[in-house]
Amino acid sequence: MNSKTAIPNVMERTIGGGVHGPGERKMRIRVVGVGGAGLNAVDHLAANPPGGVSFMAVNTDTQSLGASMIAEKLQIGKQLTRGLGAGGDPDLGRRAALEDEQELRDALEGCDVVFLAAGLGGGTGTGAGPVVAKVAREEGALVLAFVTLPFSHEGEYRGRVANDGLAEMKQSADAVVCIPNDKLLVLASEETSVLDAFKPADEYLGQSVRRIWGMLSQGGLINIDFADLRSVLRRQSGETLIGFGEADGPDRIQQVVDRTLKGPLLSGDDLLGRATSMLVAVTHGPDFTMKQLQKLLEEIRQRMGPKVACKQGIVVSGDFVDRLSLMVIASTGTPLLDKSPESAAPADAPAQPEKSAPAPRKATDEKPVATRSGGRVGGREKAEAKVKGAETSPAKQGLFDLDSSASGIFAKGEHTVVNGQDLDVPTFIRRGLVIRSL
Amino acid sequence: MFSRFFSKRPALIVGLDIGTSLVKLAVGERRPDGCLTLLGAHHVESRGLRRGEVMDHNQASSCVFQAIRETEELLNMEIGKVEVALTGGHIESANHRGTVPIRSATGQISPDDVEDAVEAARGGVSISEGRVVFHVIRQQYYVDGKDGVANPVGLVGRRLEADTHMVHGVGTRLQNTLQCLHSQDGSLVDVGSHVFSGLASSLAVLGRHEKEMGVILLDIGAGTTEYVAYSKGMIRQMGVLPVAGDHLLNDILLGLKIQSRRLGEALIHEHGCVWPEPSGNPEIKGKTVSVKTSELLPDRERVIPLEYIHAILYHRMDETLRIVRERLHAQGSLNMVASGVVLTGGVSRLPGIVELTQSVFGMPAVVGIPQGFDGIMERAAQPEMATVLGLLKYAALRGAGEKRESNGFWDQFKKIV
């Protein structure tokens, strides 16, 4: 099969019809599948496409490209692999992508958001994926990569290859959402067919694309726009979590938080506790009260670390009477210090809290500081938590007094510092848990 | 006392585990069939230790001697020699391989060649000044690059390699523990062998099959968490994180503003739980407990939401387990484990710890019960007895190894120090 150069057949949509809309901005969203697993995932999404999103398939393997139902296809590494795939060699995959870098560039030019799907552990996804992400980013797009990690039973070698690919992807993309395939095994029952077993991951990608698209294109009472999404995601080498959920009925607040933050593909990781930036999008009905909203936001806040910069968006919709929808996007990366010129766009309020947030603690920085309680050695951590607590939550007066953490069993003597964390300071304080004053 | 050895029962072994919360002693008898009979066990509260290490010699030593004297009275015996467990956050371990050419004309490997190969491995360890290697565990041998040789003596080859697992720590800090057996009044008890606590615990609770399959042992005591990873029957990685039960207590005392250690401990015993995700647990939502918070004001009680207690403990334990998991993962040990995690130490009694370990490690977890003992079983079958009983096993195996040189599997625990 001949590859065809991508035609910028990107659908355009005007967003920002809402109250706080930034005006007439055209939004181009493109979903790119790279390698066999990436193609499968994007195929699944393209079968029931969300409006306003265009698709593209990138692979070295002509057979797999031919089988894909996505119209726009780009074969990379024609000279190098002769259409036979990368044979599990990430280096070959990488070189294949570099061979056709110009075609990739043309295809991704002018995109605002690129969702990239790839399976790590093989040749094309692992090797070419990061190149595609890098090119898309250079072309000015915000790049969200959805990657899967191989099953443990695929062996240590693939695991290692995947981990290297993941590290590279984190360097190349703005945000990386990582789904270990092993989690799919946990979800699968005895009867689940192999085909069905991958559905949750495909479904997750699809929902994420749909919901992020929806969030950006919909106006809201408190709007979230592209600049907000970018300020949350454009970070250095972090992990990203995207969770969403819906619930109805009287107990919907608790339920929606649980569903959003405990999705089966998210569980078992304390990413929220480590997040440095976060975006919370709530859709509720006109019947939702201020007190309920406060409770919902408090439920989420309780699970976040103390240093998170949070942007909230609220949409009130008549369809959501007695119903609640929530999406949380969190990233653990460090903020980019040098702002690229294009991101200077509508720098209104939302970007502010981030800038004023203290620079995240470096693992190497273990400089002890004296706390207000006088002379006793505590962690820098603590001091920061205190400052941050005062900054972001004036409403939390009367909470646990952080000064007293300088006392306790381990106040004296050498402290145990691991990965820059002073382990002799209570974990719940370092994780930002709120214990109300007793 | 005074180095008088047991007159009538030469096969008696005494294990001494100087823990951060308890000094434990166990007395066992090695039977001719290799089984161990536990004759007695005793413990006293310890003082002068923190994070598994001696901070106050006089306090610690007097507790140790109190425990020894009381045990002597209980069992009507004299203790002249003890096997001692060592721990501390400074202890590290690593795998090293030593290679030697076979010199004999026939190419047949002699016991000397084996010693040379182990010595070569030991010589390859570069540790910073002040650290001492206190275990050299023989794992397996390679003859001309062929692996899986348990005992190379008598085989013919050109090159012999020995895989060893070395455990090392700061000499003075290790010495501080052994020094507890010299009391102020001049009393002295001999040290038979000194054994890394984690290794001892693993000997007490892990079965051979588990070690073959790959298993992780976590001994979570008061002061320290020791971890040991086995795969293919061999130790892959060992280490210590100086975070454990006392940190749970610390967080509770600070978080709930409880003034006394004793009340904090009582609270954890009564209401403590580390079930995963306490904030979403409907069973404890809205429930409260009434807690005494000061010994000076005994009738003052405070009502504390159960959720706070669970959350404080959960976050500490979750973090601790994650750090250990990360360390095992960083050295590739985690992938080698097919069987799961075995928990010992006092914290393994905390409700929810098995479930939390399962969720953090993503593999089955169980509480480990010492095996291979008879005698007073109700004392032996406790997870917190793993270290002290492991000392008995270590000494028994070592004794057996001395008699029957190169005794296959157990030979790997032979120690050269």
Side-chain angles (χ1 to χ4, degrees):
Chain A
M1 144 162 314
N2 280 328
S3 70
K4 99 182 169 194
T5 310
I7 305 155
N9 178 27
V10 186
M11 286 180 69
E12 293 178 1
R13 256 211 186 180
T14 309
I15 65 153
V19 188
H20 285 262
E24 297 292 299
R25 265 205 326 117
K26 305 203 164 163
M27 195 74 183
R28 286 169 171 180
I29 298 186
R30 179 152 261 227
V31 183
V32 184
V34 184
L39 253 62
N40 286 342
V42 174
D43 258 353
H44 181 88
L45 178 60
N48 183 12
V53 176
S54 71
F55 296 92
M56 179 174 150
V58 177
N59 206 352
T60 48
D61 177 5
T62 42
Q63 223 173 359
S64 142
L65 275 174
S68 167
M69 32 191 285
I70 294 157
E72 197 178 317
K73 296 166 187 182
L74 177 62
Q75 184 200 350
I76 52 171
K78 290 173 282 281
Q79 317 282 334
L80 206 59
T81 69
R82 293 156 203 262
L84 295 176
D89 178 359
D91 191 49
L92 202 59
R94 191 178 59 83
R95 284 187 291 145
L98 290 174
E99 186 186 308
D100 290 299
E101 194 183 329
Q102 194 50 50
E103 302 204 351
L104 282 169
R105 220 169 264 290
D106 294 342
L108 297 168
E109 191 191 344
C111 290
D112 292 300
V113 183
V114 168
F115 291 93
L116 189 154
L120 297 181
T124 309
T126 317
V131 178
V132 176
K134 188 166 152 282
V135 167
R137 209 171 155 185
E138 281 168 7
E139 289 300 312
L142 182 72
V143 182
L144 274 80
F146 286 73
V147 298
T148 56
L149 296 181
F151 293 105
S152 305
H153 64 234
E154 290 180 78
E156 232 180 299
Y157 174 75
R158 274 181 85 89
R160 255 204 321 274
V161 167
N163 276 332
D164 292 348
L166 180 62
E168 233 174 289
M169 195 59 107
K170 282 182 185 171
Q171 293 297 320
S172 309
D174 289 300
V176 180
V177 179
C178 181
I179 306 164
N181 275 344
D182 285 344
K183 284 195 176 161
L184 301 176
L185 279 185
V186 179
L187 287 179
S189 70
E190 290 290 327
E191 289 81 31
T192 311
S193 71
V194 177
L195 223 51
D196 286 343
F198 285 99
K199 274 204 180 129
D202 295 342
E203 195 53 41
Y204 177 65
L205 167 69
Q207 286 280 352
S208 301
V209 173
R210 256 181 261 275
R211 283 171 190 265
I212 290 174
W213 165 244
M215 176 181 80
L216 295 177
S217 56
Q218 222 168 6
L221 179 64
I222 299 175
N223 197 37
I224 290 180
D225 61 22
F226 178 65
D228 297 328
L229 182 67
R230 183 165 54 193
S231 78
V232 168
L233 291 181
R234 184 150 278 182
R235 297 194 159 230
Q236 265 161 355
S237 55
E239 294 159 71
T240 308
L241 171 146
I242 300 179
F244 34 77
E246 276 189 25
D248 49 28
D251 203 20
R252 58 190 186 273
I253 293 175
Q254 190 61 46
Q255 277 180 11
V256 83
V257 171
D258 282 353
R259 278 175 199 165
T260 303
L261 302 181
K262 284 195 209 149
L265 295 175
L266 312 176
S267 59
D269 188 10
D270 180 44
L271 201 146
L272 278 186
R274 293 182 286 121
T276 53
S277 65
M278 158 176 241
L279 197 150
V280 176
V282 184
T283 306
H284 60 72
D287 58 331
F288 206 57
T289 65
M290 195 62 212
K291 276 261 182 280
Q292 284 174 308
L293 179 64
Q294 200 185 5
K295 185 171 174 230
L296 173 67
L297 296 176
E298 183 59 28
E299 284 282 340
I300 299 168
R301 190 173 278 279
Q302 278 190 9
R303 294 163 204 236
M304 308 187 314
K307 281 174 295 214
V308 72
C310 186
K311 160 74 191 169
Q312 287 154 4
I314 292 164
V315 173
V316 184
S317 160
D319 298 340
F320 278 79
V321 173
D322 200 32
R323 221 173 107 204
L324 197 55
S325 165
L326 176 68
M327 174 158 74
V328 172
I329 302 178
S331 168
T332 63
T334 51
L336 288 176
L337 293 174
D338 51 330
K339 283 207 145 194
S340 52
E342 96 253 23
S343 67
D348 46 9
Q352 286 311 112
E354 254 194 76
K355 274 188 257 163
S356 64
R361 172 185 39 74
K362 287 262 168 59
T364 49
D365 195 344
E366 288 157 17
K367 184 178 61 179
V369 292
T371 65
R372 264 184 274 161
S373 62
R376 272 193 276 205
V377 177
R380 182 195 161 112
E381 196 78 31
K382 207 162 38 199
E384 260 179 19
K386 193 157 42 187
V387 170
K388 189 69 190 164
E391 253 179 23
T392 57
S393 53
K396 284 186 195 162
Q397 295 293 327
L399 299 186
F400 173 69
D401 176 15
L402 293 164
D403 275 352
S404 65
S405 58
S407 54
I409 300 174
F410 302 104
K412 283 176 284 182
E414 181 190 341
H415 279 224
T416 305
V417 179
V418 172
N419 300 331
Q421 301 254 336
D422 183 347
L423 297 184
D424 295 328
V425 173
T427 315
F428 74 91
I429 292 179
R430 283 179 285 117
R431 286 187 174 180
L433 188 76
V434 174
I435 301 285
R436 299 222 168 267
S437 201
L438 297 161
Chain B
M1 214 69 79
F2 296 105
S3 302
R4 270 172 293 170
F5 281 77
F6 324 120
S7 47
K8 283 181 193 165
R9 298 163 121 177
L12 284 190
I13 309 168
V14 182
L16 169 66
D17 175 13
I18 310 171
T20 306
S21 77
L22 296 174
V23 174
K24 296 195 191 91
L25 269 161
V27 180
E29 187 176 24
R30 186 170 72 232
R31 293 203 318 246
D33 64 1
C35 205
L36 273 162
T37 304
L38 182 65
L39 300 174
H42 184 57
H43 65 254
V44 301
E45 272 184 30
S46 70
R47 280 176 292 129
L49 278 98
R50 199 187 290 158
R51 300 184 180 100
E53 294 183 61
V54 176
M55 295 287 147
D56 183 324
H57 171 78
N58 289 344
Q59 281 189 356
S61 184
S62 75
C63 293
V64 166
F65 275 90
Q66 184 199 342
I68 290 175
R69 293 210 176 94
E70 289 178 8
T71 308
E72 286 177 323
E73 270 173 39
L74 280 168
L75 296 179
N76 192 22
M77 62 177 282
E78 282 189 4
I79 293 173
K81 186 174 87 165
V82 291
E83 320 295 324
V84 182
L86 295 177
T87 190
H90 56 96
I91 292 175
E92 291 170 18
S93 82
N95 295 304
H96 288 278
R97 184 175 297 176
T99 308
V100 289
I102 306 305
R103 285 157 306 185
S104 72
T106 58
Q108 199 169 36
I109 296 165
S110 69
D112 283 348
D113 291 323
V114 176
E115 293 310 316
D116 287 350
V118 172
E119 204 47 51
R122 191 186 159 95
V125 186
S126 62
I127 51 175
S128 50
E129 208 180 310
R131 295 185 75 87
V132 292
V133 174
F134 64 99
H135 281 299
V136 177
I137 300 159
R138 296 158 189 224
Q139 310 268 45
Q140 65 169 338
Y141 302 94
Y142 301 74
V143 176
D144 291 349
K146 199 170 158 294
D147 69 345
V149 179
N151 179 12
V153 174
L155 297 179
V156 175
R158 289 211 179 88
R159 195 177 76 221
L160 174 68
E161 291 162 281
D163 270 353
T164 62
H165 191 83
M166 314 252 184
V167 187
H168 50 88
V170 177
T172 50
R173 289 164 78 168
L174 297 169
Q175 194 58 41
N176 279 334
T177 300
L178 300 177
Q179 210 64 34
C180 288
L181 293 158
H182 296 257
S183 86
Q184 277 174 301
D185 60 18
S187 309
L188 180 76
V189 172
D190 282 349
V191 174
S193 47
H194 41 268
V195 188
F196 171 51
S197 296
L199 174 62
S201 303
S202 76
L203 290 179
V205 300
L206 298 182
R208 183 169 181 173
H209 182 65
E210 285 172 312
K211 292 179 191 167
E212 286 294 332
M213 296 264 292
V215 65
I216 294 162
L217 174 109
L218 293 183
D219 189 301
I220 314 176
T224 52
T225 296
E226 285 91 18
Y227 49 92
V228 180
Y230 282 83
S231 78
K232 296 178 187 155
M234 295 178 287
I235 294 170
R236 260 195 74 92
Q237 192 182 345
M238 300 200 281
V240 181
L241 180 68
V243 175
D246 274 356
H247 280 83
L248 292 171
L249 177 62
N250 178 58
D251 293 5
I252 282 288
L253 296 182
L254 292 175
L256 303 177
K257 294 186 178 164
I258 292 172
Q259 258 110 49
S260 104
R261 228 187 129 103
R262 203 184 56 79
L263 292 174
E265 279 168 3
L267 172 67
I268 293 175
H269 278 141
E270 207 172 331
H271 304 292
C273 177
V274 292
W275 261 96
E277 303 295 338
S279 55
N281 186 350
E283 280 182 37
I284 55 167
K285 198 95 198 163
K287 286 193 185 159
T288 57
V289 291
S290 190
V291 174
K292 285 196 183 67
T293 55
S294 167
E295 305 222 50
L296 299 172
L297 303 160
D299 19 285
R300 179 188 286 184
E301 294 211 341
R302 231 174 31 214
V303 174
I304 293 174
L306 199 53
E307 196 182 335
Y308 285 178
I309 299 171
H310 286 207
I312 289 171
L313 296 174
Y314 157 77
H315 280 286
R316 171 60 79 178
M317 216 54 242
D318 179 69
E319 178 185 56
T320 306
L321 293 170
R322 273 175 207 282
I323 291 170
V324 173
R325 183 186 184 281
E326 202 41 57
R327 287 187 178 183
L328 293 167
H329 182 67
Q331 293 198 22
S333 302
L334 213 55
N335 295 341
M336 311 287 284
V337 169
S339 141
V341 183
V342 177
L343 296 159
T344 57
V347 174
S348 68
R349 290 188 175 277
L350 199 57
I353 185 81
V354 169
E355 291 77 8
L356 182 62
T357 308
Q358 279 172 346
S359 95
V360 169
F361 280 81
M363 53 176 85
V366 291
V367 174
I369 302 297
Q371 291 163 5
F373 292 90
D374 57 19
I376 45 171
M377 289 306 292
E378 70 279 9
R379 286 307 301 276
Q382 312 288 341
E384 62 270 24
M385 293 292 283
T387 304
V388 72
L389 294 179
L391 292 170
L392 303 184
K393 271 207 172 163
Y394 183 92
L397 295 165
R398 195 159 172 252
E402 277 160 13
K403 270 181 229 149
R404 287 185 295 159
E405 191 61 42
S406 68
N407 178 22
F409 176 71
W410 293 116
D411 191 36
Q412 61 181 269
F413 295 114
K414 218 180 79 172
K415 202 186 54 156
I416 331 168
V417 172

